[in-house]
Amino acid sequence: GRARPSHSEPRGRDGRGEDEEEMEGWHQLYPGHIPTSPLQKALLAAGSAVMALYDPYRHDMVAVLGETTGCLALPNLRDKMKNHPEGYRILQERPRIRLSTLDMARLQGLPDGSLGREYVRFLEDNKVSPDTRMPPKFVDDEELAYVIQRYREVHDLMHTLLGMPTNMLGEVVVKWFEAIQTGLPMCVLGAAFGPVRLSTRKLQVLATELVPWAIRSGLNASCVLNIYYEQRWEQPVESLREELGIFPPP
């Protein structure tokens, strides 16, 4: 049953509490959606940012940060997808990159250098799974929730295309590329503060080679969310890089 408010709780003119009035009209937009007010989003963003900076491998906190701070970037990404034929089809068909949707045996049998084979190799070498990507909870628009879900599920494909591992150096490089591409504050934060944990030698390589290349590639490349990767598994990685406008990794 539902707990009854105490008599000391402020009541509206119709007898309802202020919290009840504030939540009126809010409803679950998609499975797992949690409606939140602007203040609640701000508190979640602040808390998740602190935790993500303390431990960059707290993917749950990184996910919350992305959802609560993407109010400007996500509509922009959605509009880019809507204005591109392949991106528009992705928005209409809503494909998902999960173990349940991937034919792993087929991908493993593709030629070396193909997107599908190199993607599987990346997953195996780094011991990661596409199923670890958290579903959205705090995005108050069903279509934008799919956009951030899609961004998360193609993140490992960004590693594959950029030739970057999942160690801290590789993650920082990918975040620089994604920050330029998406404008998501979460990516900007990761790109700016991720390097603080790197050694002096790695910082030198990052500053002189990897970050300039990631920025140039991010600026030059077309929107990476407009590629229907599930229909490009046979395409050579080098060919897809050229199509997107990603410069060869240094």
Side-chain angles (χ1 to χ4, degrees):
R2 196 175 159 188
R4 296 173 60 88
S6 67
H7 292 293
S8 61
E9 180 182 352
R11 311 298 295 179
R13 283 182 297 179
D14 57 358
R16 292 174 299 168
E18 291 179 358
D19 288 343
E20 292 175 272
E21 290 178 343
E22 184 179 354
M23 294 298 291
E24 183 181 17
W26 288 10
H27 59 280
Q28 195 176 52
L29 299 174
Y30 50 85
H33 173 237
I34 301 175
T36 47
S37 68
L39 176 60
Q40 289 171 322
K41 281 186 172 60
L43 294 172
L44 284 168
S48 60
V50 171
M51 290 303 300
L53 288 173
Y54 176 75
D55 182 2
Y57 291 102
R58 280 291 303 271
H59 298 299
D60 55 339
M61 292 294 98
V62 175
V64 172
L65 180 62
E67 294 177 32
T68 53
T69 61
C71 55
L72 297 178
L74 290 176
N76 183 49
L77 288 171
R78 188 258 316 273
D79 292 345
K80 286 182 179 180
M81 296 178 73
K82 281 189 171 181
N83 292 323
H84 186 276
E86 201 163 336
Y88 181 75
R89 196 150 55 87
I90 293 168
L91 281 177
Q92 295 300 305
E93 298 179 8
R94 305 285 179 90
R96 297 291 308 276
I97 299 178
R98 312 277 297 172
L99 288 177
S100 59
T101 65
L102 295 174
D103 186 343
M104 298 298 287
R106 172 175 168 264
L107 297 183
Q108 289 169 336
L110 291 174
D112 289 344
S114 64
L115 177 65
R117 182 66 189 97
E118 297 310 315
Y119 173 62
V120 171
R121 195 190 311 279
F122 168 84
L123 297 178
E124 294 171 343
D125 289 349
N126 293 280
K127 298 179 173 57
V128 294
S129 166
D131 287 358
T132 60
R133 302 299 169 191
M134 291 182 60
K137 296 179 181 179
F138 302 109
V139 179
D140 296 327
D141 181 287
E142 187 267 343
E143 192 171 45
L144 297 182
Y146 175 76
V147 171
I148 198 165
Q149 181 75 57
R150 183 66 175 175
Y151 156 74
R152 289 174 183 168
E153 292 184 357
V154 304
H155 175 74
D156 289 335
L157 283 158
M158 294 305 97
H159 277 273
T160 305
L161 285 171
L162 298 173
M164 290 294 133
T166 58
N167 58 23
M168 186 55 66
L169 181 63
E171 288 291 353
V172 169
V173 174
V174 173
K175 279 292 177 284
W176 273 100
F177 177 82
E178 291 179 338
I180 300 295
Q181 274 277 307
T182 68
L184 286 167
M186 168 198 66
C187 297
V188 176
L189 193 69
F193 290 97
V196 300
R197 296 172 178 266
L198 298 176
S199 66
T200 303
R201 183 179 63 83
K202 289 182 179 179
L203 279 173
Q204 184 177 4
V205 173
L206 186 72
T208 60
E209 297 182 35
L210 295 176
V211 167
W213 164 74
I215 292 175
R216 285 194 306 117
S217 291
L219 291 171
N220 189 63
S222 55
C223 180
V224 293
L225 292 185
N226 285 336
I227 297 295
Y228 210 138
Y229 296 97
E230 297 89 334
Q231 298 180 358
R232 306 288 198 105
W233 295 130
E234 295 85 359
Q235 185 172 355
V237 170
E238 290 187 7
S239 168
L240 186 52
R241 281 182 189 144
E242 291 178 4
E243 179 182 338
L244 280 166
I246 297 174
F247 299 112

